[in-house]
Amino acid sequence: MEESKLSVVVGKAVMDADLTPQDAGLLFEEGITLNLYNRYTVTGLIGSSAKALIGARVTNVTETSEHAILEFDSNVRVEIDLTDDAYTSPEAMQLRVPGSPILIWN
Protein backbone atom coordinates (compact mmCIF):
# COMPACT_ATOMS: atom_id res chain seq x y z
CA MET A 1 0.00 0.00 0.00
CA GLU A 2 1.33 3.44 -0.94
CA GLU A 3 2.01 5.85 1.92
CA SER A 4 -0.47 8.71 2.18
CA LYS A 5 0.75 12.15 1.12
CA LEU A 6 -0.79 13.28 4.42
CA SER A 7 1.95 11.46 6.32
CA VAL A 8 3.97 14.67 6.14
CA VAL A 9 1.87 15.98 9.05
CA VAL A 10 2.57 13.02 11.36
CA GLY A 11 4.39 14.36 14.41
CA LYS A 12 3.44 17.96 13.60
CA ALA A 13 1.54 20.12 16.09
CA VAL A 14 -1.52 22.16 15.15
CA MET A 15 -0.75 25.87 15.34
CA ASP A 16 -4.22 27.10 14.35
CA ALA A 17 -7.52 25.50 13.38
CA ASP A 18 -10.80 26.50 11.77
CA LEU A 19 -13.54 23.87 11.62
CA THR A 20 -16.03 25.84 9.54
CA PRO A 21 -18.21 23.40 7.55
CA GLN A 22 -17.12 23.07 3.90
CA ASP A 23 -14.12 25.32 4.39
CA ALA A 24 -12.08 24.02 7.32
CA GLY A 25 -8.38 24.43 7.73
CA LEU A 26 -5.55 23.21 9.90
CA LEU A 27 -2.25 25.05 10.18
CA PHE A 28 0.63 22.88 11.34
CA GLU A 29 4.21 23.56 12.33
CA GLU A 30 6.58 24.54 9.53
CA GLY A 31 3.77 26.41 7.74
CA ILE A 32 2.02 23.25 6.49
CA THR A 33 -1.67 23.81 5.81
CA LEU A 34 -4.47 21.35 5.15
CA ASN A 35 -7.73 22.77 3.81
CA LEU A 36 -10.85 20.58 3.97
CA TYR A 37 -13.68 21.22 1.53
CA ASN A 38 -15.53 17.90 1.72
CA ARG A 39 -17.73 16.86 4.60
CA TYR A 40 -15.80 15.78 7.65
CA THR A 41 -16.42 14.70 11.23
CA VAL A 42 -14.47 15.45 14.36
CA THR A 43 -14.64 13.15 17.37
CA GLY A 44 -13.01 13.46 20.76
CA LEU A 45 -12.86 17.25 20.76
CA ILE A 46 -13.27 18.62 24.27
CA GLY A 47 -15.51 21.63 23.96
CA SER A 48 -16.91 22.94 20.72
CA SER A 49 -14.04 25.21 19.75
CA ALA A 50 -11.55 24.29 17.07
CA LYS A 51 -8.99 26.12 19.19
CA ALA A 52 -8.94 23.05 21.45
CA LEU A 53 -6.91 21.37 18.68
CA ILE A 54 -4.06 23.87 19.03
CA GLY A 55 -0.97 22.11 20.31
CA ALA A 56 -2.25 18.63 19.47
CA ARG A 57 0.16 16.50 17.44
CA VAL A 58 -0.81 14.15 14.64
CA THR A 59 0.02 10.59 15.64
CA ASN A 60 -1.36 8.72 12.64
CA VAL A 61 -2.92 9.21 9.23
CA THR A 62 -4.92 6.71 7.22
CA GLU A 63 -6.10 7.27 3.68
CA THR A 64 -8.29 5.16 1.41
CA SER A 65 -10.38 6.03 -1.62
CA GLU A 66 -13.32 6.65 0.74
CA HIS A 67 -11.81 8.64 3.60
CA ALA A 68 -8.77 10.25 5.15
CA ILE A 69 -8.31 10.11 8.91
CA LEU A 70 -6.03 12.21 11.08
CA GLU A 71 -5.53 11.03 14.66
CA PHE A 72 -4.08 13.30 17.31
CA ASP A 73 -2.32 12.73 20.62
CA SER A 74 -5.25 14.47 22.33
CA ASN A 75 -7.56 11.60 21.25
CA VAL A 76 -9.18 13.82 18.63
CA ARG A 77 -9.92 12.21 15.30
CA VAL A 78 -10.75 14.07 12.08
CA GLU A 79 -12.30 11.96 9.32
CA ILE A 80 -12.70 13.50 5.87
CA ASP A 81 -15.22 11.85 3.57
CA LEU A 82 -13.62 11.40 0.12
CA THR A 83 -16.61 9.77 -1.57
CA ASP A 84 -18.32 11.46 -4.50
CA ASP A 85 -21.38 12.19 -2.35
CA ALA A 86 -19.29 14.32 0.02
CA TYR A 87 -18.07 16.87 -2.51
CA THR A 88 -19.07 20.46 -1.77
CA SER A 89 -16.35 22.08 -3.89
CA PRO A 90 -14.29 21.25 -6.96
CA GLU A 91 -11.75 19.63 -4.65
CA ALA A 92 -11.95 17.54 -1.49
CA MET A 93 -8.73 18.66 0.24
CA GLN A 94 -5.68 20.76 -0.39
CA LEU A 95 -2.29 20.25 1.27
CA ARG A 96 0.37 22.95 1.14
CA VAL A 97 3.88 22.15 2.28
CA PRO A 98 6.32 25.04 1.88
CA GLY A 99 8.82 24.26 -0.87
CA SER A 100 6.67 21.47 -2.37
CA PRO A 101 3.93 21.43 -5.01
CA ILE A 102 0.37 21.90 -3.75
CA LEU A 103 -1.46 18.57 -3.46
CA ILE A 104 -5.14 18.39 -4.36
CA TRP A 105 -7.60 15.59 -3.64
CA ASN A 106 -10.58 15.64 -6.02
Side-chain angles (χ1 to χ4, degrees), residues 19 41-50 52-53 56 70-79:
L19 296 178
T41 57
V42 180
T43 55
L45 189 64
I46 298 172
S48 59
S49 173
L53 265 173
L70 286 82
E71 297 174 277
F72 296 86
D73 61 0
S74 60
N75 294 319
V76 171
R77 177 181 162 124
V78 177
E79 183 171 347

Side-chain angles (χ1 to χ4, degrees), residues 53-73:
L53 265 173
I54 295 174
R57 289 191 181 275
V58 178
T59 58
N60 189 50
V61 295
T62 306
E63 183 181 348
T64 68
S65 61
E66 295 185 356
H67 63 258
I69 299 170
L70 286 82
E71 297 174 277
F72 296 86
D73 61 0

Side-chain angles (χ1 to χ4, degrees), residues 32-50:
I32 299 169
T33 59
L34 178 63
N35 296 307
L36 310 175
Y37 304 112
N38 270 22
R39 289 189 308 251
Y40 63 90
T41 57
V42 180
T43 55
L45 189 64
I46 298 172
S48 59
S49 173

